[in-house]
Amino acid sequence: MTALYSLFLTLCVYFISQRFYRYTGNVVSSPLIVCPIVLVTLLLLFHVSYNTYNEGGQILSFMLQPATVALAVPIYKYRALLKKYGWEIFISITSGAALAVVTSMGFASLLGLSPQVIDSLAPRSITTPMAMSISEMLGGNPAMTAVFVIITGIVGVVITPLLFKIPMIQNPVTKGLMLGVGAHGTGTAKAYEIGPLEGAMASLAMTFMGIVTTLIAPQLVPFCFYMLSTM
């Protein structure tokens, strides 16, 4: 019953915050920002532990798996466009993945953070399950990585749409790629609010960001540590 209560609570808070977001139209009132704040406040007020709450959260996590697979549908729908811009998309996503790792480690090093925190921060720009796996493989803290991933998504979904006011960034393919690369799943949800093509491009970018980061991180992270140690 506890699982059902926490699931019901999560869904209620989400739907109310979603209606509030649609009413205000302000990205700061997005459910992604409002939901965690309200839920954490309620858990603290009623002294409910995270493990107890997460009994219902695991049900939602399970439902994410088929939802993630469903993202392939719009990608298939726009496959002709993917062939047309194949190289541009490949270069954008690959360079975005490498840049995300390098800049994260560089700024963390400048701030004097510990090697474990830097390892945890390196895969922050991809979806949570993949980021946590990479973090563990690198020697980071997966729980800390999950927090960094959420912060990246929130910041990305707030800042990236502001860049769309620039006249040269009006192509829907560009908008989708920027949201998928810069804000992973959160950016993909925002991209679908803008349009189906933007959403398909963001889905593609999010998926390939995860694959590319998984492939390059085991080599790139030690190389960055070596370069930072020589400075």
Side-chain angles (χ1 to χ4, degrees):
M1 288 299 291
T2 304
L4 292 178
Y5 283 136
S6 60
L7 176 63
F8 180 72
L9 173 66
T10 304
L11 293 177
C12 285
V13 172
Y14 173 76
F15 283 117
I16 292 172
S17 60
Q18 188 183 44
R19 289 182 68 87
F20 178 66
Y21 171 60
R22 287 177 179 174
Y23 175 77
T24 62
N26 192 327
V27 71
V28 178
S29 63
S30 166
L32 183 71
I33 300 173
V34 174
C35 275
I37 294 174
V38 174
L39 286 172
V40 169
T41 303
L42 290 175
L43 295 182
L44 291 174
L45 282 175
F46 292 99
H47 305 288
V48 178
S49 69
Y50 171 75
N51 290 333
T52 302
Y53 165 77
N54 198 39
E55 290 179 15
Q58 289 176 350
I59 299 175
L60 288 175
S61 299
F62 175 78
M63 293 170 67
L64 279 176
Q65 298 176 21
T68 303
V69 175
L71 291 174
V73 175
I75 294 176
Y76 177 78
K77 182 179 177 182
Y78 291 104
R79 61 189 182 282
L81 204 57
L82 296 180
K83 290 181 180 177
K84 181 179 179 181
Y85 295 107
W87 277 109
E88 291 87 345
I89 293 172
F90 174 77
I91 293 171
S92 300
I93 295 175
T94 304
S95 58
L99 197 62
V101 173
V102 172
T103 54
S104 298
M105 296 184 66
F107 281 116
S109 180
L110 285 175
L111 293 173
L113 301 180
S114 70
Q116 188 186 32
V117 176
I118 296 176
D119 279 331
S120 305
L121 193 59
R124 63 172 178 80
S125 294
I126 58 177
T127 56
T128 306
M130 299 178 81
M132 293 176 71
S133 298
I134 295 175
S135 174
E136 189 173 15
M137 181 173 57
L138 295 173
N141 184 323
M144 198 181 298
T145 300
V147 175
F148 291 142
V149 170
I150 293 172
I151 294 173
T152 299
I154 293 173
V155 173
V157 84
V158 170
I159 293 178
T160 306
L162 298 177
L163 300 176
F164 296 161
K165 295 178 181 179
I166 300 174
M168 63 183 298
I169 306 178
Q170 297 303 316
N171 188 302
V173 174
T174 304
K175 289 182 179 179
L177 290 176
M178 288 177 66
L179 284 167
V181 170
H184 47 79
T186 311
T188 300
K190 179 63 181 178
Y192 275 109
E193 291 180 8
I194 299 174
L197 179 54
E198 287 87 344
M201 290 299 109
S203 301
L204 178 75
M206 177 187 69
T207 304
F208 277 89
M209 272 287 287
I211 295 172
V212 172
T213 304
T214 302
L215 293 174
I216 67 174
Q219 291 77 35
L220 184 58
V221 170
F223 176 75
C224 289
F225 270 123
Y226 170 75
M227 294 300 296
L228 290 170
S229 67
T230 60
M231 294 179 179

